[in-house]
Amino acid sequence: MPTRVVIAEDEAIIRLDLKETLEEEGYEVVAETGRGDEAELVREHDPDVAILDIKMPGLDGLSAAREIAGERRAAVLILTAFSQRDLIERARDAGALAYLVKPFQKADLFPAIEVALGRFQELKALHDQATSLEEQLETRKTVDRAKGQLMDQGGMTEAAAFAFIQKTAMAERQTMKAVAQRILDGELAPA
């Protein structure tokens, strides 16, 4: 499946050249714009990469990069004529994963895209892992509180309280967290 790209570049000739170059290399350009509405195009077309110019009419590329990166929608590559250090730092802080200065060479474009894609996948995996760990921690806290309640109010041992939660979850095809929450809410108690 080809890598899907959104291009936001206000100079039509550069935008056309970039689109042609990408398509020749097997990338699929799913949308392009000359205005700062790239964040909407990314939401609408769900590309793998958004190539953004910094200075454009409407929303500037850095604001769009911040939105796109904040929502973890696509890898962001900034393609601009500006190479000042402060802009590079602002682009990095906005979530850009690669920065390319115009005029660019084909030999520089594709490695920049691939680096941005690789870094984006790593960041997504880290975010997913963190979310999973947070959920596991929340489940453990809820189950521990429910065990404590069963031990205090029902005189159960910790092992018996855990077994009750686990067996109920299996029998009712619910998560242990859901069963534990029902115990904490007073909706469920051992018979």
Side-chain angles (χ1 to χ4, degrees), residues 47-52 54 61-62 64-79 87-101 108-126:
D48 302 302
V49 180
I51 299 176
L52 314 176
I54 289 181
L62 293 178
R66 195 171 291 105
E67 278 186 46
I68 294 164
E71 296 172 8
R72 282 177 288 291
R73 293 205 171 262
V76 174
L77 182 149
I78 297 292
L79 177 64
L87 273 179
I88 295 168
E89 289 171 359
R90 287 175 45 210
R92 178 202 61 213
D93 295 345
L97 300 175
Y99 194 98
L100 202 53
V101 178
D108 297 328
L109 177 63
F110 300 114
I113 290 172
E114 294 307 316
V115 166
L117 281 169
R119 291 188 63 209
F120 181 70
Q121 291 306 320
E122 288 173 11
L123 290 171
K124 253 180 115 169
L126 284 172

Side-chain angles (χ1 to χ4, degrees), residues 29 33 36 69 89 97 100 108 117 127 137 148 170 178 180 185-187:
V29 177
T33 184
E89 289 171 359
L97 300 175
L100 202 53
D108 297 328
L117 281 169
H127 178 265
L137 182 59
M170 289 178 6
D185 293 343
E187 299 171 7

Side-chain angles (χ1 to χ4, degrees), residues 8 27-28 32 77 80 88 106 120 126 140 159 165 178 186:
Y27 291 83
E28 180 184 356
E32 55 183 290
L77 182 149
T80 186
I88 295 168
K106 240 170 117 167
F120 181 70
L126 284 172
R140 182 169 181 154
I165 295 169

Side-chain angles (χ1 to χ4, degrees), residues 35 75 81 175 189:
R35 296 193 41 81
T175 64

